[in-house]
Amino acid sequence: MNTADGGLAPAVRSILATAAERPGGDERLAVDARSLPDAFADAEADGRIPVIAEVKPTSPTTDGERTDDPVELAEEMVAGGAGALSVLTEPEHFGGSAETLERVRDAVDVPVLRKDFLLREEQLDAVAADLVLLIVRFVGDDLTNLVSAARERGFQPLVEVHDADELSAAIDAGADLIGVNNRDLGALEVDLSTFERVAPEVPDDATLIAESGITTTADARRMREAGADGLLIGSAIMDAEGRGESGDGVEGDGAGGDVRANTRRFTRAGTEGKP
Ligand SMILES: O=C(O)c1ccccc1NCC(=O)[C@H](O)[C@H](O)COP(=O)(O)O
């Protein structure tokens, strides 16, 4: 359901309205970032699929909320083999905070992505992280400046795209970490063929991440076969409803709300790797 007002779903319009109001940090940050490509290489060398597991207490498309300590969740994800973490810092719609990210990053030694809807340079300075997300659809013509501003502070910018035009903008901005979001932020619908359409156009030397909608181990293998170097997985690992997944990819009798087991299921999903 695309809507008026830029074709964005009401929840996304609300997310952007609150993001526009959020202040930046008091001073410019200088970050000593943990390398995402190195973390992915370590996972591959260990026979694990590189997974960025997301600490996502809730969202506009999630039923229920996880109120467990995010640091414990993060440590369980790493114990399940996550090569990196993503932590929501958006407070109003995702239950995140900068403080959560700080605590998680202090507790683990893998790279941590700040997952938020950043619109202005000063918002980069709200909290240290190893990576920051820049969503092409939302930052528009500011993308090149924000990529530079992120790198000047030591962040690795992960540039998120949804179609070929956004990919061109990401490449023009010099992005080397590219995420293809299977979730259409206009309609909030998920379609894994989005990644399959966009991935062939991504330069070989970029690190390519399939984002959103990866629910089963079959989905994970499908994204890897389509060229994903890594997978960003939130809801299926957080699994607030405790549905889990059975061995044959059918929901219902699996690990439920056990984030360590959920993460392991994806990191050990088995694949021939990138073609
Ligand atoms: O997840 C949502 O409901 C959502 C709604 C509106 C804008 C963004 C949204 N998600 C942000 C994300 O990038 C996802 O949390 C992330 O890709 C993980 O997705 P999933 O594995 O499907 O939880």
Side-chain angles (χ1 to χ4, degrees):
M1 160 215 63
N2 272 9
T3 64
D5 198 2
L8 296 174
V12 178
R13 275 187 274 142
S14 173
I15 289 167
L16 286 180
T18 51
E21 298 300 315
R22 266 203 302 287
D26 295 333
E27 56 188 39
R28 188 186 172 99
L29 291 176
V31 176
D32 183 13
R34 304 165 192 162
S35 161
L36 185 75
D38 287 356
F40 278 9
D42 289 348
E44 295 274 12
D46 189 37
R48 285 174 283 130
I49 293 178
V51 168
I52 306 174
E54 185 160 279
V55 179
K56 179 181 183 183
T58 188
S59 84
T61 60
T62 303
D63 293 328
E65 177 167 3
R66 284 199 76 143
T67 54
D68 332 30
D69 179 6
V71 172
E72 285 174 23
L73 292 172
E75 288 172 338
E76 288 296 290
M77 290 168 176
V78 173
L85 298 177
S86 166
V87 176
L88 263 304
T89 55
E90 202 278 355
E92 283 93 354
H93 304 81
F94 293 85
S97 72
E99 188 217 349
T100 296
L101 188 149
E102 272 173 346
R103 291 178 56 227
V104 167
R105 189 163 180 257
D106 282 348
V108 301
D109 58 7
V110 300
V112 181
L113 166 69
R114 177 181 176 197
K115 194 66 169 315
D116 209 324
F117 300 85
L118 302 178
L119 302 175
R120 301 188 311 278
E121 177 171 348
E122 64 266 27
Q123 291 174 328
L124 292 166
D125 295 319
V127 62
D130 302 291
L131 303 116
V132 288
L133 184 74
L134 298 174
I135 302 174
V136 173
R137 181 164 185 166
F138 296 157
V139 303
D141 292 343
D142 293 331
L143 180 64
T144 302
N145 287 342
L146 286 170
V147 165
S148 300
R151 289 193 177 129
E152 282 162 15
R153 288 161 171 80
F155 294 111
Q156 299 158 93
L158 170 59
V159 178
E160 178 179 300
V161 306
H162 184 68
D163 60 27
D165 287 345
E166 291 180 6
L167 176 63
S168 294
I171 294 168
D172 289 348
D176 56 2
L177 303 177
I178 296 176
V180 178
N181 195 348
N182 289 309
R183 181 172 286 111
D184 174 358
L185 295 175
L188 286 187
E189 282 159 7
V190 169
D191 179 356
L192 295 186
S193 67
T194 305
F195 182 84
E196 292 167 327
R197 269 195 309 278
V198 177
E201 308 307 322
V202 174
D204 285 343
D205 56 357
T207 299
L208 175 59
I209 296 159
E211 301 177 10
S212 301
I214 299 162
T215 304
T216 67
T217 49
D219 294 340
R221 284 192 289 273
R222 178 175 165 186
M223 294 293 94
R224 290 280 281 173
E225 280 156 18
D229 295 302
L231 312 175
L232 172 59
I233 307 177
S235 312
I237 288 178
M238 294 295 285
D239 196 13
E241 297 289 292
R243 288 184 300 264
E245 179 195 33
S246 64
D248 60 1
V250 178
E251 284 186 343
D253 60 357
D258 180 342
V259 297
R260 183 191 301 214
N262 289 343
T263 307
R264 182 174 291 123
R265 193 156 52 82
F266 289 110
T267 59
R268 299 289 179 191
T271 175
E272 301 312 313
K274 210 176 170 186

